[in-house]
């Protein structure tokens, strides 16, 4: 819904994107004022909360990324941050993608799988709180391809995993984790 400044939107309004949001768009079709109110409300929500002994985030907590957000005065999803998050290869893009969708891990080519819409998936979201030493892919990945479940995770993965002794973190999309 955010204009790109060139007559379009930051996220293209193509058939795939429209299909993903069809139910939402349909519910607001006759209520454009309410849609604008919701969009404005979303921009009042914090990207993460750190209350000391309790934390909350939509999809993925990463101390380094949250530090960058704080240092750049991005506590909320502003239009400026949205613009920067749509620049390919930008740090803002990676941080917003991971904070709001989760971290992903590229999987070996022989385990590529197809989602419900027929798109090839070459990466899977990870359970970023699982300590990856001595675990298999089935323990680390969401939607792990069945053939990969028992395969050991390489010891040299460079993923910033949530420390086991860190405060409890509530996730908006998956419940809670410790």
């Amino acid at each position: 819904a955010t204009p790109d400044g060139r007559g379009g939107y930051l996220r293209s309004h193509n058939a795939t994107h429209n299909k993903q949001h069809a139910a939402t768009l349909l519910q607001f079709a006759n209520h454009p004022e309410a849609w604008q109110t919701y969009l404005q409300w979303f921009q009042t929500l914090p990207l993460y909360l750190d209350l000391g002994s309790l934390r909350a985030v939509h999809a993925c907590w990463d101390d380094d990324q949250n530090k960058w957000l704080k240092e750049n005065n991005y506590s909320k999803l502003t239009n400026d941050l949205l613009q920067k998050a749509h620049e390919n290869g930008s740090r803002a893009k990676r941080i917003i993608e991971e904070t709001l969708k989760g971290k992903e891990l590229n999987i070996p080519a022989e385990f590529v799988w197809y989602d419900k819409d027929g798109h090839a998936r070459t990466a899977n979201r990870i359970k970023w709180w699982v300590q990856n030493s001595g675990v298999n892919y089935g323990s680390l990945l969401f939607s792990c391809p069945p053939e990969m479940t028992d395969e050991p995770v390489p010891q040299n993965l460079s993923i910033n995993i949530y420390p086991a002794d860190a405060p409890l973190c509530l996730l908006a999309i998956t419940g809670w984790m410790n």
Side-chain angles (χ1 to χ4, degrees):
T2 304
D4 64 5
R6 297 180 305 273
Y9 293 91
L10 290 178
R11 189 166 193 234
S12 63
H13 289 189
N14 61 33
T16 300
H17 292 158
N18 289 345
K19 181 180 176 186
Q20 290 172 341
H21 302 288
T24 301
L25 296 173
L26 182 62
Q27 291 173 7
F28 284 101
N30 296 319
H31 309 284
E33 307 83 23
W35 177 239
Q36 290 305 312
T37 300
Y38 274 86
L39 293 175
Q40 290 169 3
W41 174 73
F42 276 118
Q43 289 189 322
T44 70
L45 302 175
L47 290 168
Y48 66 91
L49 285 175
D50 189 347
L51 304 173
S53 61
L54 179 67
R55 294 172 169 174
V57 69
H58 183 70
C60 180
W61 188 278
D62 183 303
D63 284 329
D64 294 337
Q65 293 179 352
N66 293 347
K67 180 181 176 188
W68 183 88
L69 289 166
K70 186 175 184 178
E71 288 172 351
N72 288 281
N73 295 316
Y74 293 134
S75 61
K76 299 173 182 161
L77 202 54
T78 64
N79 284 339
D80 178 57
L81 180 55
L82 280 169
Q83 295 284 341
K84 289 180 178 171
H86 279 79
E87 295 171 9
N88 287 330
S90 72
R91 187 169 186 188
K93 181 177 181 94
R94 182 176 51 82
I95 289 173
I96 291 304
E97 287 278 325
E98 291 183 1
T99 300
L100 300 181
K101 293 182 182 178
K103 290 182 182 282
E104 290 189 345
L105 176 69
N106 290 330
I107 60 175
E110 66 266 25
F111 297 114
V112 169
W113 59 282
Y114 294 86
D115 66 15
K116 63 180 175 47
D117 296 320
H119 299 109
R121 295 298 178 179
T122 58
N124 282 50
R125 290 200 178 107
I126 66 164
K127 299 171 187 171
W128 46 269
W129 57 89
V130 171
Q131 306 306 306
N132 60 20
S133 178
V135 301
N136 57 34
Y137 281 107
S139 299
L140 183 65
L141 300 178
F142 288 103
S143 303
C144 183
E147 313 81 40
M148 206 176 161
T149 301
D150 296 324
E151 294 288 322
V153 173
Q155 297 298 311
N156 61 351
L157 285 182
S158 61
I159 300 171
N160 194 1
I161 298 294
Y162 196 74
D165 60 351
L168 178 70
C169 187
L170 301 172
L171 304 178
I173 62 168
T174 58
W176 67 272
M177 54 75 45
N178 189 2

